[in-house]
Amino acid sequence: MTAEPVETPTTKTRYDAETLASLTADATQIMARYPDPRSGLLPMLHLVQSVDGYVSRDGILFCAEMLGITAAEVSAVATFYTQYKRRPNGTYTVGVCTNTLCAVMGGDAIFDELSDHLGVGHDETTPDGAITLERVECNAACDYAPVVMVNWEFFDNQTPESATALADKLILGEDVVPTRGAASVCSFKQMSRVLAGFPDGRADEGVGAGAPTLAGLSVARERGWTAPEAPAADAADGATGQTSPPVGTPGSSAERTPTTAPDTSVGKDKKSGEDAK
């Protein structure tokens, strides 16, 4: 039997005591990773998603209380990034890349087919709560375009037919195997916990970089190509390998003598005799 949510003098959230204690322990670990605990807000938002399935009101209040900031500040971050959901997400986020190369290779057709097949649009969830469908930006997998991701696991070289078959398996609760990376797909809540910084042991599973990714490296090795040597350290910037322009020339960061009207004229908000800015 699920414990009833309770209010306590130390929190405005409605988490039961057991859930609150678990969240607090995990959030404390997250905060300890950073010199400024406030820097832990992003993984903490993933943490509350791993419990609630989205960034709930209670999740926002919890983060604010732990970090000593306002709920408005937490909400500002939670509404900025698309990986944070403000309403219950599906068990699986199915993301179709429709950025340039994937779109050219059929990404738009895949999204349209899935949208019709599932009866939902972008960032909408199927009535059974199984799938949230998304258009996503580049996933750095252009060499396998078009790409579909399920809770950020890769399914490469997709077609409208293979993508709808994948969605049907997810709805039926059948196991699916990503093309690369982990050997299985976990739930949205489980992946949110991983994104919060709590590994699930799957990081070293499967293939990382496949043949298309390594094609350029193979050609370079076959032809004996190597990267050009960096300029001498005394003549170039050590970080970029670029020689700095002389002071006062275009590209120099040194102060220059004002020469144009905007530099020298008195602004509309200035009175005669005041320094122009």
Side-chain angles (χ1 to χ4, degrees):
M1 181 176 178
T2 304
E4 290 295 324
V6 294
E7 295 269 356
T8 73
T10 59
T11 181
K12 295 181 180 179
T13 70
R14 296 168 294 182
Y15 291 120
D16 61 77
E18 182 179 356
T19 301
L20 184 60
S22 177
L23 275 171
T24 301
D26 287 340
T28 301
Q29 287 190 50
I30 291 172
M31 293 163 62
R33 301 172 192 162
Y34 302 93
D36 182 350
R38 179 172 175 165
S39 298
L41 177 57
L42 296 180
M44 283 177 63
L45 287 168
H46 285 298
L47 177 65
V48 298
Q49 279 197 152
S50 75
V51 173
D52 295 329
Y54 68 111
V55 179
S56 63
R57 167 192 176 275
D58 292 313
I60 288 175
L61 291 174
F62 172 78
C63 291
E65 291 170 357
M66 288 295 295
L67 296 174
I69 59 181
T70 67
E73 290 175 298
V74 178
S75 294
V77 174
T79 55
F80 184 83
Y81 296 103
T82 58
Q83 278 191 320
Y84 301 129
K85 309 301 180 182
R86 292 310 314 277
R87 56 181 180 272
N89 200 75
T91 303
Y92 303 101
T93 296
V94 174
V96 182
C97 182
T98 55
N99 211 325
T100 307
L101 186 56
C102 278
V104 169
M105 298 295 288
D108 286 327
I110 291 173
F111 181 88
D112 292 343
E113 182 69 20
L114 278 175
S115 181
D116 290 342
H117 185 70
L118 298 173
V120 295
H122 168 68
D123 200 26
E124 294 180 351
T125 303
T126 55
D128 59 3
I131 292 176
T132 297
L133 181 63
E134 287 187 341
R135 288 182 180 270
V136 295
E137 291 302 309
C138 184
N139 288 303
C142 303
D143 40 357
Y144 288 97
V147 173
V148 171
M149 300 194 84
V150 179
N151 290 343
W152 299 285
E153 301 290 358
F154 288 106
F155 289 81
D156 303 317
N157 300 315
Q158 292 294 295
T159 65
E161 294 74 24
S162 66
T164 53
L166 172 63
D168 287 342
K169 288 183 178 180
L170 294 173
I171 291 172
L172 293 173
E174 297 180 9
D175 293 334
V176 296
V177 180
T179 309
R180 293 173 288 133
S184 61
V185 170
C186 64
S187 71
F188 177 79
K189 287 184 178 181
Q190 291 168 326
M191 181 54 72
S192 293
R193 183 168 178 81
V194 174
L195 293 173
F198 297 93
D200 62 358
R202 301 184 308 135
D204 296 323
E205 293 179 354
V207 177
T213 305
L214 301 175
L217 180 61
S218 298
V219 171
R221 286 175 175 170
E222 290 171 2
R223 302 187 180 186
W225 293 345
T226 58
E229 294 184 5
D234 59 347
D237 180 81
T240 65
Q242 297 178 344
T243 302
S244 299
V247 173
T249 60
S252 169
S253 60
E255 292 185 3
R256 61 184 176 82
T257 303
T259 58
T260 62
D263 292 324
T264 58
S265 62
V266 176
K268 292 181 179 179
D269 58 342
K270 291 288 185 179
K271 297 178 181 178
S272 179
E274 289 185 330
D275 292 335
K277 294 185 179 179

PDB file of all heavy atoms in Angstrom, residues 122-141:
ATOM      1  N   HIS A 122       4.122  16.269 -31.838  1.00  0.00           N
ATOM      2  CA  HIS A 122       5.370  16.545 -31.125  1.00  0.00           C
ATOM      3  C   HIS A 122       5.124  16.799 -29.642  1.00  0.00           C
ATOM      4  O   HIS A 122       4.238  17.566 -29.261  1.00  0.00           O
ATOM      5  CB  HIS A 122       6.066  17.763 -31.745  1.00  0.00           C
ATOM      6  CG  HIS A 122       7.203  18.287 -30.921  1.00  0.00           C
ATOM      7  ND1 HIS A 122       8.376  17.595 -30.721  1.00  0.00           N
ATOM      8  CD2 HIS A 122       7.319  19.448 -30.205  1.00  0.00           C
ATOM      9  CE1 HIS A 122       9.180  18.294 -29.940  1.00  0.00           C
ATOM     10  NE2 HIS A 122       8.555  19.425 -29.619  1.00  0.00           N
ATOM     11  N   ASP A 123       5.918  16.145 -28.798  1.00  0.00           N
ATOM     12  CA  ASP A 123       5.859  16.307 -27.342  1.00  0.00           C
ATOM     13  C   ASP A 123       4.489  15.930 -26.782  1.00  0.00           C
ATOM     14  O   ASP A 123       4.057  16.463 -25.763  1.00  0.00           O
ATOM     15  CB  ASP A 123       6.238  17.729 -26.935  1.00  0.00           C
ATOM     16  CG  ASP A 123       6.666  17.822 -25.466  1.00  0.00           C
ATOM     17  OD1 ASP A 123       7.142  16.805 -24.926  1.00  0.00           O
ATOM     18  OD2 ASP A 123       6.515  18.906 -24.869  1.00  0.00           O
ATOM     19  N   GLU A 124       3.837  14.996 -27.447  1.00  0.00           N
ATOM     20  CA  GLU A 124       2.565  14.468 -26.948  1.00  0.00           C
ATOM     21  C   GLU A 124       2.729  12.985 -26.622  1.00  0.00           C
ATOM     22  O   GLU A 124       3.583  12.300 -27.172  1.00  0.00           O
ATOM     23  CB  GLU A 124       1.460  14.655 -27.978  1.00  0.00           C
ATOM     24  CG  GLU A 124       1.123  16.113 -28.240  1.00  0.00           C
ATOM     25  CD  GLU A 124       0.017  16.284 -29.282  1.00  0.00           C
ATOM     26  OE1 GLU A 124      -0.362  15.283 -29.921  1.00  0.00           O
ATOM     27  OE2 GLU A 124      -0.443  17.428 -29.460  1.00  0.00           O
ATOM     28  N   THR A 125       1.903  12.514 -25.693  1.00  0.00           N
ATOM     29  CA  THR A 125       2.024  11.152 -25.182  1.00  0.00           C
ATOM     30  C   THR A 125       0.815  10.324 -25.551  1.00  0.00           C
ATOM     31  O   THR A 125      -0.325  10.813 -25.510  1.00  0.00           O
ATOM     32  CB  THR A 125       2.193  11.173 -23.642  1.00  0.00           C
ATOM     33  OG1 THR A 125       3.342  11.973 -23.311  1.00  0.00           O
ATOM     34  CG2 THR A 125       2.387   9.776 -23.084  1.00  0.00           C
ATOM     35  N   THR A 126       1.048   9.086 -25.909  1.00  0.00           N
ATOM     36  CA  THR A 126      -0.059   8.193 -26.265  1.00  0.00           C
ATOM     37  C   THR A 126      -0.964   7.983 -25.058  1.00  0.00           C
ATOM     38  O   THR A 126      -0.504   8.044 -23.907  1.00  0.00           O
ATOM     39  CB  THR A 126       0.486   6.842 -26.756  1.00  0.00           C
ATOM     40  OG1 THR A 126       1.370   6.288 -25.766  1.00  0.00           O
ATOM     41  CG2 THR A 126       1.246   7.005 -28.057  1.00  0.00           C
ATOM     42  N   PRO A 127      -2.259   7.733 -25.281  1.00  0.00           N
ATOM     43  CA  PRO A 127      -3.204   7.598 -24.171  1.00  0.00           C
ATOM     44  C   PRO A 127      -2.815   6.535 -23.150  1.00  0.00           C
ATOM     45  O   PRO A 127      -3.147   6.660 -21.955  1.00  0.00           O
ATOM     46  CB  PRO A 127      -4.516   7.238 -24.876  1.00  0.00           C
ATOM     47  CG  PRO A 127      -4.386   7.833 -26.238  1.00  0.00           C
ATOM     48  CD  PRO A 127      -2.936   7.674 -26.595  1.00  0.00           C
ATOM     49  N   ASP A 128      -2.117   5.485 -23.589  1.00  0.00           N
ATOM     50  CA  ASP A 128      -1.711   4.441 -22.650  1.00  0.00           C
ATOM     51  C   ASP A 128      -0.461   4.796 -21.861  1.00  0.00           C
ATOM     52  O   ASP A 128      -0.017   4.023 -20.997  1.00  0.00           O
ATOM     53  CB  ASP A 128      -1.483   3.114 -23.392  1.00  0.00           C
ATOM     54  CG  ASP A 128      -0.408   3.210 -24.474  1.00  0.00           C
ATOM     55  OD1 ASP A 128       0.202   4.284 -24.606  1.00  0.00           O
ATOM     56  OD2 ASP A 128      -0.202   2.208 -25.189  1.00  0.00           O
ATOM     57  N   GLY A 129       0.125   5.966 -22.134  1.00  0.00           N
ATOM     58  CA  GLY A 129       1.301   6.406 -21.396  1.00  0.00           C
ATOM     59  C   GLY A 129       2.590   5.721 -21.803  1.00  0.00           C
ATOM     60  O   GLY A 129       3.610   5.860 -21.128  1.00  0.00           O
ATOM     61  N   ALA A 130       2.564   4.998 -22.915  1.00  0.00           N
ATOM     62  CA  ALA A 130       3.748   4.231 -23.311  1.00  0.00           C
ATOM     63  C   ALA A 130       4.798   5.091 -23.994  1.00  0.00           C
ATOM     64  O   ALA A 130       5.995   4.964 -23.719  1.00  0.00           O
ATOM     65  CB  ALA A 130       3.350   3.081 -24.235  1.00  0.00           C
ATOM     66  N   ILE A 131       4.375   5.976 -24.912  1.00  0.00           N
ATOM     67  CA  ILE A 131       5.330   6.697 -25.755  1.00  0.00           C
ATOM     68  C   ILE A 131       5.036   8.189 -25.775  1.00  0.00           C
ATOM     69  O   ILE A 131       3.890   8.610 -25.950  1.00  0.00           O
ATOM     70  CB  ILE A 131       5.292   6.154 -27.205  1.00  0.00           C
ATOM     71  CG1 ILE A 131       5.848   4.733 -27.262  1.00  0.00           C
ATOM     72  CG2 ILE A 131       6.078   7.063 -28.154  1.00  0.00           C
ATOM     73  CD1 ILE A 131       5.761   4.101 -28.634  1.00  0.00           C
ATOM     74  N   THR A 132       6.081   8.972 -25.582  1.00  0.00           N
ATOM     75  CA  THR A 132       6.042  10.402 -25.870  1.00  0.00           C
ATOM     76  C   THR A 132       6.857  10.618 -27.133  1.00  0.00           C
ATOM     77  O   THR A 132       8.038  10.239 -27.193  1.00  0.00           O
ATOM     78  CB  THR A 132       6.632  11.230 -24.716  1.00  0.00           C
ATOM     79  OG1 THR A 132       5.840  11.056 -23.545  1.00  0.00           O
ATOM     80  CG2 THR A 132       6.673  12.719 -25.079  1.00  0.00           C
ATOM     81  N   LEU A 133       6.238  11.191 -28.149  1.00  0.00           N
ATOM     82  CA  LEU A 133       6.888  11.387 -29.449  1.00  0.00           C
ATOM     83  C   LEU A 133       7.481  12.786 -29.528  1.00  0.00           C
ATOM     84  O   LEU A 133       6.835  13.758 -29.122  1.00  0.00           O
ATOM     85  CB  LEU A 133       5.869  11.201 -30.573  1.00  0.00           C
ATOM     86  CG  LEU A 133       6.375  11.346 -32.011  1.00  0.00           C
ATOM     87  CD1 LEU A 133       7.411  10.273 -32.338  1.00  0.00           C
ATOM     88  CD2 LEU A 133       5.204  11.292 -32.995  1.00  0.00           C
ATOM     89  N   GLU A 134       8.701  12.870 -30.055  1.00  0.00           N
ATOM     90  CA  GLU A 134       9.365  14.167 -30.168  1.00  0.00           C
ATOM     91  C   GLU A 134      10.099  14.311 -31.494  1.00  0.00           C
ATOM     92  O   GLU A 134      10.636  13.341 -32.030  1.00  0.00           O
ATOM     93  CB  GLU A 134      10.409  14.338 -29.055  1.00  0.00           C
ATOM     94  CG  GLU A 134       9.875  14.572 -27.685  1.00  0.00           C
ATOM     95  CD  GLU A 134      10.992  14.885 -26.705  1.00  0.00           C
ATOM     96  OE1 GLU A 134      12.168  14.575 -27.003  1.00  0.00           O
ATOM     97  OE2 GLU A 134      10.683  15.445 -25.635  1.00  0.00           O
ATOM     98  N   ARG A 135      10.121  15.529 -32.000  1.00  0.00           N
ATOM     99  CA  ARG A 135      11.110  15.911 -33.002  1.00  0.00           C
ATOM    100  C   ARG A 135      12.339  16.348 -32.209  1.00  0.00           C
ATOM    101  O   ARG A 135      12.222  17.128 -31.267  1.00  0.00           O
ATOM    102  CB  ARG A 135      10.625  17.093 -33.840  1.00  0.00           C
ATOM    103  CG  ARG A 135       9.525  16.774 -34.831  1.00  0.00           C
ATOM    104  CD  ARG A 135       9.181  18.032 -35.627  1.00  0.00           C
ATOM    105  NE  ARG A 135       8.128  17.804 -36.594  1.00  0.00           N
ATOM    106  CZ  ARG A 135       8.334  17.405 -37.849  1.00  0.00           C
ATOM    107  NH1 ARG A 135       9.574  17.209 -38.267  1.00  0.00           N
ATOM    108  NH2 ARG A 135       7.329  17.217 -38.674  1.00  0.00           N
ATOM    109  N   VAL A 136      13.509  15.865 -32.581  1.00  0.00           N
ATOM    110  CA  VAL A 136      14.707  16.254 -31.854  1.00  0.00           C
ATOM    111  C   VAL A 136      15.739  16.839 -32.801  1.00  0.00           C
ATOM    112  O   VAL A 136      15.735  16.568 -34.010  1.00  0.00           O
ATOM    113  CB  VAL A 136      15.328  15.060 -31.094  1.00  0.00           C
ATOM    114  CG1 VAL A 136      14.384  14.572 -30.011  1.00  0.00           C
ATOM    115  CG2 VAL A 136      15.684  13.925 -32.039  1.00  0.00           C
ATOM    116  N   GLU A 137      16.609  17.652 -32.243  1.00  0.00           N
ATOM    117  CA  GLU A 137      17.701  18.227 -33.016  1.00  0.00           C
ATOM    118  C   GLU A 137      18.829  17.207 -33.135  1.00  0.00           C
ATOM    119  O   GLU A 137      18.741  16.098 -32.640  1.00  0.00           O
ATOM    120  CB  GLU A 137      18.177  19.522 -32.343  1.00  0.00           C
ATOM    121  CG  GLU A 137      17.167  20.654 -32.433  1.00  0.00           C
ATOM    122  CD  GLU A 137      16.805  21.007 -33.865  1.00  0.00           C
ATOM    123  OE1 GLU A 137      17.728  21.220 -34.678  1.00  0.00           O
ATOM    124  OE2 GLU A 137      15.608  21.073 -34.175  1.00  0.00           O
ATOM    125  N   CYS A 138      19.903  17.588 -33.787  1.00  0.00           N
ATOM    126  CA  CYS A 138      20.984  16.665 -34.127  1.00  0.00           C
ATOM    127  C   CYS A 138      21.469  15.879 -32.917  1.00  0.00           C
ATOM    128  O   CYS A 138      21.736  16.440 -31.854  1.00  0.00           O
ATOM    129  CB  CYS A 138      22.139  17.433 -34.745  1.00  0.00           C
ATOM    130  SG  CYS A 138      23.492  16.374 -35.300  1.00  0.00           S
ATOM    131  N   ASN A 139      21.584  14.577 -33.092  1.00  0.00           N
ATOM    132  CA  ASN A 139      22.097  13.699 -32.043  1.00  0.00           C
ATOM    133  C   ASN A 139      23.525  13.245 -32.337  1.00  0.00           C
ATOM    134  O   ASN A 139      23.991  12.250 -31.787  1.00  0.00           O
ATOM    135  CB  ASN A 139      21.201  12.465 -31.902  1.00  0.00           C
ATOM    136  CG  ASN A 139      19.880  12.819 -31.257  1.00  0.00           C
ATOM    137  OD1 ASN A 139      19.832  13.352 -30.152  1.00  0.00           O
ATOM    138  ND2 ASN A 139      18.793  12.527 -31.949  1.00  0.00           N
ATOM    139  N   ALA A 140      24.222  13.987 -33.203  1.00  0.00           N
ATOM    140  CA  ALA A 140      25.609  13.669 -33.558  1.00  0.00           C
ATOM    141  C   ALA A 140      25.731  12.251 -34.097  1.00  0.00           C
ATOM    142  O   ALA A 140      26.683  11.538 -33.788  1.00  0.00           O
ATOM    143  CB  ALA A 140      26.537  13.876 -32.359  1.00  0.00           C
ATOM    144  N   ALA A 141      24.752  11.836 -34.883  1.00  0.00           N
ATOM    145  CA  ALA A 141      24.767  10.504 -35.487  1.00  0.00           C
ATOM    146  C   ALA A 141      24.475  10.598 -36.972  1.00  0.00           C
ATOM    147  O   ALA A 141      23.840   9.720 -37.558  1.00  0.00           O
ATOM    148  CB  ALA A 141      23.746   9.602 -34.796  1.00  0.00           C
TER     149      ALA A 141
END
